[in-house]
Amino acid sequence: MISPSVILLLGWMIIPLSLTIYFSFLRYNLITPTGNPFVGWENYYWFLTDPSFKAAMINTLVMVGGILLITVIGGIGFALLLDRPMWGQGIIRIMVIAPFFVMPTVSALVWKNMFMNPVNGIFGRIATGLGFEPIDFMGQIPLLSIVLIVSWMWLPFATLILFTAMQSLDQEQLEAAEMDGAGWTSRFIFIVLPHLARAITVVILIQTIFLLSIFAEILVTTNGGPGTASTNLTYLIYVSSLLQFDVGMGSAGGVIAIILANIVAIFLMRMIGKNLDA
Amino acid sequence: MGQIQLNQVSKSFGSVEVIPPLDLTIEDGEFVVFVGPSGCGKSTLLRLIAGLEDVTDGHVMIDGDDATDIVPAKRGLAMVFQSYALYPHMSVRKNIAFPLRMAGLDKSEQDRRVTEAARVLNLTDYLERRPGQLSGGQRQRVAIGRAIVREPEAFLFDEPLSNLDAALRVGMRLEISELHKRLATTMIYVTHDQVEAMTMADKIVVLQAGVIEQVGSPLELYQRPRNTFVAGFIGSPKMNLIGGSEAAKHDAATIGIRPEHIEISEGPGAWEGTVGVSEHLGSDTFFHVQTAASSEPITVRAQGELGLRYGQKVYLSPSMEHLHRFDSKGLRIE
Ligand SMILES: Nc1ncnc2c1ncn2[C@@H]1O[C@H](COP(=O)(O)OP(=O)(O)OP(=O)(O)O)[C@@H](O)[C@H]1O
Ligand SMILES: [Mg+2]
């Protein structure tokens, strides 16, 4: 009885996937409608040897890695803070979660225009007020700016998952460690971190899947530039298929992205499998 | 050395005073059991001694030195928790070695002590396992192992056997008693099981609502309970407490007589009654007898089987030298 749903799911995946693969072997440019001849691996060759591909790969890795680092470390920090009793706990918890509910385009625009703009942005104003040269975030440090914006958006997610995990930590274990002579740092390293390991892997897995395809934030802030300084793989595919109207090339990029995402997923699954066994 | 003294120690959570000021001295090498009904403050008292809870007022003295402001790790006490509180991601070996590692002992000394503790506690074959792969009794032993490697001044146990099944509980009870005989270290043991208290303790502290009702050896508590609470709490089955005119005959507000000090027969006796439910243990039989003397059924313990049936008319003869008398405040009358 599971076959209808399996067939539906397969169709759901297979049709767009096979179309993408099919297009990736055609010369299919919307500007030069000269028929769509089969060209073999040509699209792949040009996509992979394009210097912007290498740049995009590096940018993707830096983005995903940087955001993961910031959100996991920040998330653990926030979870530790939220875990201790304090005044106004409820409101603070809601405020910490709030950024997650803002749409990516909106929050990226708010950051771009209200915080990071060198003339009107708050950071710029502060810098000018203190007598410094304001930083042009989107021009000088575009990649870092995007990493910061997206980290801000994903921090609540990491915090939420890690905070929930923190609350399930048996207090008696901490007390036992305290009796055993473990100071605050030792308790954190030997008791809290191992307890959080599972939650951390979940955060990393889920975020990686979403972070590999960051797009809106780049589109509304830097447009992948200057040059290719903030172009990731997703954005490169968009550029080649829709800005350069080369559907074949875009499809080849898409297939490569799928393969890369699967490699990452398999790698992460193994890591999680190891962690979940324990 | 492991002498522990509480001077006017009290504890409040917010405005609720859980433990009114109390004094207690625990001598070096003693096995002291805190008993009392659930919620009476046994765990709180133990945690005050351990330092996991700050005293609201008063002083905790260890070996004559004021330890009130000393952090738990520095008090030289080891604690075994009810939930065992083992570290789930560490092997048994690492669990037991953890306090040594924290104390910065060198590796060979750690290994020596862990091996020794594992041998004593029959854990040698399980050293490489995780706590999750052990039975309840084995986990309990790991928790004890983690406590003994530190060679503490005193051990604190918080209901360590309450998660074990009855048979295992008896076994572990003996093991802990044996451990105490061998180490001769002070042990403070919290339980609400009065059989554990009676069988293990050198000294029992009976608590009710944070107040010490009586301190004494198991036999003292059994033979001369200071008030009706202790009388009813120590001993199994419970002492029969009878008020009203029957007590007045003995110039008391309440009289108490233990089930084992009443004879039951079909012949004549002091109180006439009818047999209610009887519980057959094989060696003993407990009869619950409804009499005119008391509104509650009187429990009688008889040796072996007497062949008395439900609803049968019987006579009870309490042994007068074992009668306890209490005044209107519930205090013992000598
Ligand atoms: N952290 C706390 N905050 C407020 N009240 C507490 C706290 N810990 C304990 N209490 C209260 O103190 C009283 C004594 O608790 P405690 O845990 O010492 O009881 P106990 O004798 O160990 O009971 P049990 O046999 O059920 O373990 C209880 O009424 C409990 O509600
Ligand atoms: Mg308790």
Side-chain angles (χ1 to χ4, degrees), chain A:
Chain A
M1 274 324 282
I2 54 169
S3 47
S5 53
V6 170
I7 289 169
L8 185 72
L9 262 177
L10 273 182
W12 191 267
M13 274 173 45
I14 295 275
I15 293 169
L17 183 64
S18 40
L19 273 179
T20 309
I21 295 177
Y22 172 64
F23 288 150
S24 73
F25 289 109
L26 301 182
R27 176 172 302 140
Y28 188 172
N29 196 311
L30 298 175
I31 305 178
T32 50
T34 54
N36 301 324
F38 184 81
V39 290
W41 296 97
E42 191 175 281
N43 284 324
Y44 288 91
Y45 176 77
W46 290 118
F47 192 86
L48 289 172
T49 49
D50 184 347
S52 49
F53 170 73
K54 196 177 152 210
M57 278 299 288
I58 293 172
N59 287 341
T60 308
L61 287 181
V62 171
M63 256 183 226
V64 174
I67 294 165
L68 283 180
L69 205 67
I70 293 176
T71 50
V72 168
I73 293 176
I76 292 174
F78 271 116
L80 283 173
L81 276 180
L82 292 182
D83 198 32
R84 54 188 56 196
M86 58 179 161
W87 185 83
Q89 212 162 30
I91 293 191
I92 291 175
R93 284 181 189 172
I94 289 175
M95 271 167 52
V96 169
I97 308 306
F100 204 49
F101 299 114
V102 183
M103 277 182 291
T105 32
V106 174
S107 57
L109 279 176
V110 167
W111 273 92
K112 180 188 179 187
N113 295 326
M114 300 190 61
F115 288 95
M116 294 177 161
N117 187 301
V119 182
N120 294 316
I122 290 175
F123 295 151
R125 290 275 169 98
I126 292 173
T128 324
L130 293 174
F132 294 108
E133 185 76 10
I135 303 172
D136 178 8
F137 283 88
M138 298 308 160
Q140 287 168 291
I141 44 167
L143 196 58
L144 184 64
S145 303
I146 288 171
V147 166
L148 287 179
I149 294 172
V150 180
S151 294
W152 178 81
M153 287 164 46
W154 279 93
L155 197 52
F157 172 77
T159 305
L160 199 63
I161 303 272
L162 294 171
F163 173 58
T164 319
M166 195 86 83
Q167 286 196 310
S168 72
L169 175 57
D170 177 14
Q171 289 304 310
E172 283 198 346
Q173 264 181 49
L174 286 175
E175 289 179 344
E178 195 179 344
M179 295 283 302
D180 283 346
W184 193 91
T185 335
S186 301
R187 288 207 293 278
F188 179 73
I189 295 173
F190 293 112
I191 314 292
V192 177
L193 268 191
H195 175 78
L196 290 183
R198 202 173 287 195
I200 292 176
T201 18
V202 169
V203 167
I204 291 181
L205 177 79
I206 294 180
Q207 287 201 18
T208 306
I209 292 169
F210 282 93
L211 295 180
L212 279 173
S213 56
I214 296 177
F215 177 73
E217 293 85 340
I218 301 178
L219 183 72
V220 301
T221 53
T222 62
N223 270 314
T228 55
S230 57
T231 300
N232 67 354
L233 205 52
T234 322
Y235 198 81
L236 185 66
I237 294 168
Y238 160 76
V239 169
S240 36
S241 54
L242 291 179
L243 295 187
Q244 297 163 3
F245 304 102
D246 193 339
V247 178
M249 184 80 94
S251 301
V255 172
I256 290 170
I258 290 167
I259 292 170
L260 286 178
N262 273 292
I263 292 174
V264 173
I266 288 169
F267 177 73
L268 285 170
M269 282 308 211
R270 292 207 151 182
M271 195 166 93
I272 286 196
K274 222 183 258 167
N275 252 317
L276 295 191
D277 279 346

Side-chain angles (χ1 to χ4, degrees), chain B residues 50-70:
Chain B
L52 292 172
E53 214 71 77
D54 291 326
V55 298
T56 305
D57 212 355
H59 296 275
V60 179
M61 317 285 283
I62 298 177
D63 289 332
D65 299 324
D66 193 342
T68 318
D69 298 321
I70 297 181

Side-chain angles (χ1 to χ4, degrees), chain B residues 11-14 16-19 34-47 53 82 158-159 190-193 207 209-210:
Chain B
K11 177 70 187 174
S12 305
F13 290 109
V16 186
E17 187 169 62
V18 174
I19 296 182
F34 294 171
V35 280
S38 190
C40 70
K42 306 178 296 285
S43 299
T44 308
L45 198 56
L46 198 70
R47 292 163 58 80
E53 214 71 77
Q82 181 172 3
D158 192 355
E159 308 203 22
V190 166
T191 179
H192 56 241
D193 177 348
L207 289 161

